Amino acid sequence: MSVSTHDPVSFAATLSLSPVKMANQSDVVVLALGVVLAAVYLFKDTLFAPSRPTSSIPSAGKNLANGGGNPRDFIAKMKEGKKRLVIFYGSQTGTAEEYAIRLAKEAKSKFGLASLVCDPEEYDFENLDELPEDCAAIFVMATYGEGEPTDNAVQLMQNLEDDSFEFSKGEHKLEGLKYVVFALGNRTYEHYNLIGRKVDEHLTNMGAQRIGERGEGDDDKSMEEDYLAWKDGMWDAFSVALGVEEGQGGDSPDFKVSELESHPAEKVYQGELSARALTRTKGIHDAKNPYASPVSVAKELFQLTKDRNCVHVELNIEGSGITYQHGDHVGVWPLNADVDVERLLCVLGLHDKRDTVIGIESLDPALAKVPFPAPTTYGTVLRHYIDISAMAGRQILGTLVKFAPTPEAEAFLRDISSDKEKHHAFVANGCLKLGEVLQLAAGNDINLAPTPENTTAWNIPFDIIVSSVPRLQPRFYSISSSPKMYPTTIHVTCVVLKYQSTDQKARWVYGVGSNFLLNLKYASAGEAAPLISHASPSDPSGVSFPAYRIEGPRGAYLSEKIYKAPIHVRRSTFRLPTNPKSPVIMVGPGTGVAPFRGFIQERVILARRSLEKNGPDALKDWGKISLFYGCRRSTEDFLYADEWPQYTEELKGRFSLHTAFSRENFKPDGSKMYVQDLIWEDRENIADSILKGKGYVYICGDAKNMSKAVEEVLAKILGEAKGGSAEVEGAAEIKLLKERSRLMLDVWS
């Protein structure tokens, strides 16, 4: 045999696999020597390593002078930074994190208290019971999906809920811990603010002491107003509990913004979302490093587009390393519309300095991290990085009062920022953005295209804009394709958000993400955006849809006439049962049909393989697949109308489509027909599929009305099938279906 002594692994393997015949004793000696040498080579690091102390490593939270000893020890970091508050946030889209930072800033400005703002995923909780008596913990917790914790709060919730989990003192107790809870949710969902409520309940049961009332924010109405109504009372109770007095803090900035006279152009961020995007180097694509996905197909789905649009976009992921499953969500990173960027540049007096390079430094990195890449430019920040298209909240308007250019503007801004009802009537009903409010406060005409000549400049330090306006977040869409049928593309089905404000002026309001996709659709197809009307006092939106700089930073989103969109995939548990014998009931009116197109494609591919392998009877024992779909008219907004017959044919009758055209088909009493009415008409099959067939039910779409109505009719059907009522037997069956993940929802408000 031939063995290389430079490869001891190969040598040892060869010895173990090959029979060796030793002719004499010298062969044995040589062989033994070889084994010894191989062993020495393999274990040289252990045999010849320098001696190490034998003392054990200190446990988290003990014997650590500072946070450098264990990066997951928040107690040590608090002691090192002399911080009396630790704020944990459970956040899926960034909103809870935003409110956590706001609480930290207020604690600093009111009481001079420093805070440690923590992503709970990055810390251990064994030493939560070691929080000193003069300190407090704040939990800002969003509820995600069907009463679930956000991804970054899963471990925290497990620790709190598990009675066998021991804190550092050997017990599942937190006696004496002072805490605050602010919960974030949406009242249209069944499990409204469940996670925040659970955190409160568990902490109380373990002996902790809540400070003030539990705060609950409702995103269906106004999270901002709920927060403002709660926080003052909480801070009053907080000052008593911690023995601090208001007025001990100061109005200090969070960031330092500096204009850089010289900086290498290639190192200035112009809208890139990550360092890898700036340097154009390869890496994993996720929320921190979105992928610029080429748009391979972009088309209109509505048959009539005078008043409404719905775009179908296919995003190419070939070679990106991105994978997805049916039911997942794709996050699309939009940018702000040109008119909104121009407006705020003029308001801030930065119109001629849009391309000035700026550096941004956090003056307290533990409290306020720089929320976007830097160095960058003023114009880039407003276009790509902060959400200037959102409605202006009372708190930020109150912050800006002292920078008003005139006494009249100051009085106007103070009035609407301090009076909840006036703010609602003027700003909320008018759907006014920050730039628009500041223009109106200064007496400017927002009907005109903003220019330095028709816009009064406000001397607002840019660090306050960075600190007060939240980061522009991705918009998530249910993926409307199956990777089995479309392995290299992700399909998006998006209705374009365009509506009129409810104030007397009835202004046109446009959704950022959906109109960004509509712009991509027009550009990809080489079409011009249609005119709406000529600018007039009754239509201040101007003459066309909002335009976006869709070619991206340094033209990165346009290559050889192919446009791209920055994306990442978010995993979901919204999945088909693995066994095709299980009946499936899907309810998805409007764009709620998006994930079900992917579901059906998934089954079509499985059917093709089964038929090829097992012959024409391969699908005879498959469960029924029923889709209940609704829209206005079959000739106006029937999504994917040409595809459903093909899927029906390929699934050999196992798939059936039930349609409700609300402005075309009517009930006997003349009222409109909706999906819940179709379900009631098919109640015998529905009950049989669920109760006897152990079927699965999926609902996607509007949470406020449709989802509730569908659950109510399902409860009625199941209650009557079990010989009881909707309120008792039906409700119990719905509860059981949800607990067993046989009734799943992907809904929004």
Side-chain angles (χ1 to χ4, degrees):
M1 65 180 178
S2 175
V3 179
S4 168
T5 57
H6 297 290
D7 186 358
V9 176
S10 298
F11 180 53
T14 307
L15 286 178
S16 64
L17 295 174
S18 302
V20 180
K21 296 180 180 180
M22 289 165 279
N24 50 49
Q25 191 173 2
S26 62
D27 290 337
V28 175
V29 173
V30 171
L31 183 61
L33 180 61
V35 171
V36 171
L37 290 172
V40 170
Y41 185 92
L42 282 170
F43 301 106
K44 64 182 186 300
D45 291 339
T46 302
L47 292 172
F48 304 112
S51 61
R52 294 183 175 88
T54 58
S55 61
S56 61
I57 299 173
S59 62
K62 297 179 180 179
N63 304 321
L64 292 173
N66 54 54
N70 179 2
R72 298 185 63 82
D73 183 356
F74 67 89
I75 295 288
K77 288 187 176 181
M78 290 177 70
K79 290 179 179 178
E80 178 191 12
K82 298 180 180 179
K83 302 176 187 299
R84 292 179 61 184
L85 280 179
V86 58
I87 306 178
F88 298 105
Y89 60 85
S91 188
Q92 197 74 21
T93 61
T95 305
E97 181 180 6
E98 174 194 337
Y99 279 96
I101 293 172
R102 287 173 67 170
L103 285 167
K105 291 177 181 177
E106 289 195 37
K108 182 180 179 182
S109 64
K110 283 178 176 288
F111 308 107
L113 295 180
S115 304
L116 181 67
V117 179
C118 297
D119 181 339
E121 196 172 34
E122 298 176 358
Y123 292 89
D124 298 321
F125 293 92
E126 284 83 355
N127 58 351
L128 184 57
D129 58 350
E130 295 181 9
L131 195 69
E133 290 184 9
D134 65 343
C135 297
I138 299 180
F139 297 85
V140 184
M141 309 299 295
T143 298
Y144 177 62
E146 290 301 294
E148 303 158 9
T150 57
D151 291 344
N152 72 324
V154 171
Q155 188 61 52
L156 168 61
M157 292 304 299
Q158 289 176 352
N159 292 161
L160 295 179
E161 292 175 336
D162 184 2
D163 291 339
S164 66
F165 177 80
E166 295 182 354
F167 294 100
S168 66
K169 297 174 184 176
E171 295 181 291
H172 191 64
K173 293 182 179 180
L174 293 170
E175 293 177 350
L177 174 74
K178 298 181 181 71
Y179 74 93
V180 172
V181 173
F182 183 67
L184 297 86
N186 188 304
R187 197 175 293 275
T188 60
Y189 291 74
E190 178 182 356
H191 304 287
Y192 173 60
N193 277 332
L194 180 63
I195 297 304
R197 293 174 180 180
K198 278 188 173 182
V199 168
D200 189 16
E201 178 185 356
H202 292 312
L203 291 174
T204 298
N205 291 341
M206 287 186 281
Q209 302 169 12
R210 190 182 67 216
I211 298 173
E213 296 298 320
R214 179 182 66 238
E216 295 201 352
D218 180 11
D219 192 44
D220 183 51
K221 292 185 178 179
S222 176
M223 185 80 70
E224 171 84 1
E225 288 300 336
D226 291 336
Y227 171 77
L228 294 178
W230 163 77
K231 72 181 183 71
D232 290 340
M234 184 277 294
W235 285 130
D236 290 342
F238 178 90
S239 67
V240 174
L242 265 69
V244 293
E245 294 183 6
E246 191 167 347
Q248 297 176 2
D251 190 10
S252 57
D254 298 316
F255 302 101
K256 179 183 178 182
V257 177
S258 307
E259 295 184 357
L260 306 179
E261 293 185 3
S262 62
H263 198 85
E266 69 276 8
K267 294 183 179 180
V268 176
Y269 287 87
Q270 294 185 6
E272 293 86 0
L273 296 169
S274 67
R276 289 189 180 277
L278 179 66
T279 57
R280 303 203 176 191
T281 54
K282 293 183 177 180
I284 296 173
H285 294 290
D286 54 19
K288 296 180 180 179
N289 183 35
Y291 173 64
S293 171
V295 177
S296 55
V297 174
K299 61 183 181 181
E300 176 65 51
L301 290 178
F302 283 169
Q303 292 80 27
L304 297 178
T305 59
K306 180 181 179 181
D307 299 316
R308 299 186 302 151
N309 295 87
C310 184
V311 295
H312 170 88
V313 179
E314 298 181 14
L315 301 162
N316 195 319
I317 56 172
E318 189 172 8
S320 67
I322 292 177
T323 60
Y324 74 100
Q325 296 296 321
H326 66 280
D328 282 346
H329 302 118
V330 60
V332 178
W333 293 75
L335 56 156
N336 291 307
D338 293 349
V339 65
D340 295 322
V341 176
E342 291 300 313
R343 190 184 310 280
L344 210 48
L345 283 170
C346 292
V347 166
L348 297 174
L350 297 172
H351 183 269
D352 296 332
K353 301 180 73 172
R354 68 179 67 226
D355 296 324
T356 298
V357 178
I358 56 174
I360 303 175
E361 175 188 355
S362 174
L363 299 179
D364 186 354
L367 170 62
K369 298 177 181 177
V370 178
F372 44 78
T376 181
T377 68
Y378 290 119
T380 298
V381 172
L382 300 183
R383 186 178 301 280
H384 293 276
Y385 295 146
I386 62 176
D387 194 359
I388 64 173
S389 301
M391 184 191 75
R394 278 204 296 137
Q395 190 160 26
I396 185 174
L397 295 179
T399 301
L400 301 182
V401 166
K402 61 184 177 183
F403 302 107
T406 65
E408 293 78 14
E410 180 181 350
F412 178 88
L413 208 58
R414 178 175 287 110
D415 194 31
I416 62 170
S417 64
S418 60
D419 189 310
K420 176 181 176 180
E421 299 304 323
K422 289 183 179 179
H423 177 272
H424 182 78
F426 182 75
V427 180
N429 287 346
C431 299
L432 295 171
K433 304 165 190 174
L434 178 61
E436 293 169 334
V437 174
L438 297 182
Q439 273 193 308
L440 289 169
N444 303 146
D445 186 353
I446 64 171
N447 297 335
L448 303 175
T451 66
E453 290 72 31
N454 62 26
T455 304
T456 302
W458 293 54
N459 190 25
I460 301 171
F462 200 69
D463 67 85
I464 291 183
I465 298 298
V466 174
S467 180
S468 303
V469 182
R471 176 75 190 265
L472 184 60
Q473 298 290 341
R475 271 48 176 177
F476 288 98
Y477 304 94
S478 298
I479 295 176
S480 58
S481 56
S482 161
K484 288 184 171 60
M485 185 173 288
Y486 296 98
T488 61
T489 55
I490 287 174
H491 296 190
V492 174
T493 307
C494 171
V495 67
V496 179
L497 185 61
K498 182 186 71 172
Y499 60 94
Q500 287 184 294
S501 61
T502 57
D503 62 354
Q504 293 180 349
K505 296 181 179 180
R507 306 172 62 254
W508 281 106
V509 182
Y510 301 91
V512 173
S514 59
N515 281 279
F516 170 71
L517 287 175
L518 182 62
N519 265 246
L520 279 175
K521 179 256 179 185
Y522 287 139
S524 297
E527 303 170 354
L531 299 181
I532 297 176
S533 66
H534 293 290
S536 68
S538 62
D539 184 10
S541 60
V543 296
S544 66
F545 289 96
Y548 298 79
R549 194 171 291 179
I550 55 175
E551 67 273 13
R554 296 181 170 89
Y557 301 159
L558 177 60
S559 176
E560 297 179 355
K561 296 184 179 181
I562 296 176
Y563 286 88
K564 302 176 183 179
I567 66 167
H568 76 278
V569 169
R570 184 175 73 186
R571 301 301 174 195
S572 170
T573 57
F574 201 65
R575 296 275 190 273
L576 279 168
T578 54
N579 187 352
K581 295 180 181 179
S582 300
V584 173
I585 298 162
M586 301 172 290
V587 185
T591 53
V593 79
F596 302 137
R597 179 175 179 262
F599 278 28
I600 294 166
Q601 290 175 355
E602 192 88 358
R603 282 291 189 253
V604 165
I605 296 300
L606 182 60
R608 290 175 185 174
R609 294 171 181 171
S610 297
L611 290 167
E612 183 179 351
K613 181 179 180 180
N614 302 316
D617 295 330
L619 310 185
K620 68 178 182 179
D621 60 347
W622 275 30
K624 293 181 180 178
I625 306 170
S626 302
L627 171 60
F628 293 86
Y629 171 76
C631 61
R632 292 182 180 179
R633 293 185 175 88
S634 59
T635 56
E636 178 180 335
D637 53 355
F638 187 4
L639 301 182
Y640 303 110
D642 57 330
E643 295 185 14
W644 307 120
Q646 176 188 344
Y647 297 147
T648 302
E649 181 180 350
E650 292 216 49
L651 289 169
K652 307 302 179 185
R654 306 314 296 169
F655 167 61
S656 58
L657 175 67
H658 306 256
T659 54
F661 303 117
S662 63
R663 300 187 184 183
E664 187 174 311
N665 301 331
F666 301 92
K667 291 186 287 187
D669 63 1
S671 59
K672 293 178 179 179
M673 178 78 76
Y674 294 112
V675 286
Q676 59 265 32
D677 302 309
L678 294 177
I679 292 170
W680 177 250
E681 287 183 352
D682 198 37
R683 55 189 175 276
E684 290 185 9
N685 289 327
I686 295 286
D688 186 68
S689 294
I690 295 174
L691 298 176
K692 294 181 181 179
K694 305 298 181 185
Y696 289 70
V697 182
Y698 302 87
I699 304 172
C700 183
D702 168 50
K704 197 168 186 177
N705 299 306
M706 181 277 297
S707 178
K708 288 183 178 180
V710 169
E711 285 196 47
E712 287 172 0
V713 76
L714 286 174
K716 185 177 180 181
I717 291 170
L718 297 175
E720 291 184 2
K722 295 180 78 70
S725 67
E727 293 77 16
V728 181
E729 288 81 4
E733 194 64 32
I734 292 292
K735 183 174 183 291
L736 189 63
L737 288 173
K738 289 184 176 180
E739 290 174 351
R740 296 180 176 179
S741 297
R742 286 177 49 208
L743 171 55
M744 303 183 72
L745 283 71
D746 182 3
V747 294
W748 57 85
S749 63

